[in-house]
């Protein structure tokens, strides 16, 4: 048919008389497709890999409809659609998706590492804050103790400083 000639690049004379499976199905898929056709009779939306005359990959989506003459299969009609451009786009989308997933995974790891570093820094800051609070408490306690000591020292110094004078005064009174 003219569409097959345009699609594959083969001349009509090259295609006449050749079995369909040999012309349009890659060698690694022929046996499996022949078996599926024998078992099911009719196939819908079956993707088949093929090559054009230049060796470029073609991906065709085929529908196979059997026609019977009585109980015997007379022939099959096959309708094929070239889905090569769609498959190329699909492959590109899959490749881009895989790249994106790798980038997301890398970024997630980076964020996780950053989060762990922030958590460590936060813990260190909490320890430093606690140390500062304790230092401030000790400094305040030291000032308080110094103040109390000063307040006790003044009267004691006054008493001790005047004990000698009182002793002399008391001696004078006794005499």
């Amino acid at each position: 048919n003219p569409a097959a000639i345009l699609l594959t690049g083969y001349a009509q004379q090259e295609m006449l008389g050749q079995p369909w499976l040999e012309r349009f199905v890659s060698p690694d898929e022929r046996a499996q497709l022949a078996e599926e056709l024998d078992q099911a009779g009719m196939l819908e939306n079956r993707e088949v890999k093929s090559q054009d005359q230049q060796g470029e990959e073609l991906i065709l989506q085929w529908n196979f409809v059997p026609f019977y003459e009585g109980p015997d299969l007379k022939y099959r009609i096959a309708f094929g659609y070239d889905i090569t451009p769609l498959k190329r786009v699909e492959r590109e989308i899959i490749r881009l998706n895989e790249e994106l997933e790798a980038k997301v995974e890398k970024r997630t790891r980076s964020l996780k590492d950053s989060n762990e570093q922030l958590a460590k820094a936060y813990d260190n800051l909490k320890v430093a804050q606690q140390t500062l609070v304790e230092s401030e408490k000790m400094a305040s306690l030291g000032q308080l103790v110094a103040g109390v000591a000063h307040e006790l020292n003044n009267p004691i110094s006054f008493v001790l400083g005047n004990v000698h004078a009182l002793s002399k005064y008391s001696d004078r009174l006794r005499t």
Side-chain angles (χ1 to χ4, degrees):
N1 90 26
I5 292 170
L6 285 174
L7 179 64
T8 63
Y10 289 104
Q12 186 172 4
Q13 291 75 23
E14 293 176 278
M15 293 173 38
L16 286 176
Q18 284 200 353
W20 177 86
L21 283 172
E22 288 181 23
R23 175 56 63 197
F24 290 106
V25 181
S26 65
D28 55 330
E29 285 187 276
R30 284 183 195 151
Q32 181 182 355
L33 183 59
E35 184 179 324
E36 287 176 27
L37 284 170
D38 287 343
Q39 288 178 359
M42 183 171 111
L43 292 176
E44 293 183 296
N45 300 323
R46 175 65 158 79
E47 289 182 16
V48 176
K49 291 180 184 173
S50 183
Q51 289 184 344
D52 64 12
Q53 193 176 29
Q54 286 79 35
E56 294 290 322
E57 180 184 60
L58 296 173
I59 302 174
L60 306 172
Q61 185 176 39
W62 289 94
N63 293 307
F64 301 93
V65 180
F67 283 88
Y68 293 93
E69 193 171 278
D72 300 323
L73 175 66
K74 186 172 183 179
Y75 55 87
R76 284 187 183 94
I77 295 181
F79 302 94
Y81 304 95
D82 182 16
I83 59 171
T84 306
L86 294 173
K87 287 297 180 178
R88 286 184 184 140
V89 169
E90 180 182 358
R91 287 178 189 157
E92 182 66 13
I93 288 171
I94 289 169
R95 184 188 65 78
L96 291 172
N97 190 38
E98 288 170 353
E99 284 180 17
L100 182 60
E101 285 178 7
K103 287 179 182 179
V104 166
E105 185 177 322
K106 181 180 176 184
R107 183 68 179 142
T108 300
R109 258 191 319 250
S110 173
L111 288 172
K112 184 179 177 185
D113 292 344
S114 295
N115 193 28
E116 287 173 1
Q117 289 175 353
L118 284 172
K120 285 180 183 177
Y122 178 71
D123 290 342
N124 290 341
L125 283 173
K126 283 181 12 182
V127 168
Q129 180 186 22
Q130 186 63 31
T131 302
L132 283 173
V133 166
E134 288 174 9
S135 295
E136 284 296 316
K137 285 180 182 178
M138 292 304 286
S140 296
L141 183 60
Q143 286 179 348
L144 179 64
V145 169
V148 168
H150 179 72
E151 292 300 321
L152 290 174
N153 197 25
N154 282 344
I156 291 171
S157 293
F158 176 76
V159 168
L160 284 177
N162 289 318
V163 162
H164 183 65
L166 280 174
S167 174
K168 284 184 181 182
Y169 183 67
S170 139
D171 285 342
R172 269 195 263 163
L173 288 175
R174 279 191 209 150
T175 44

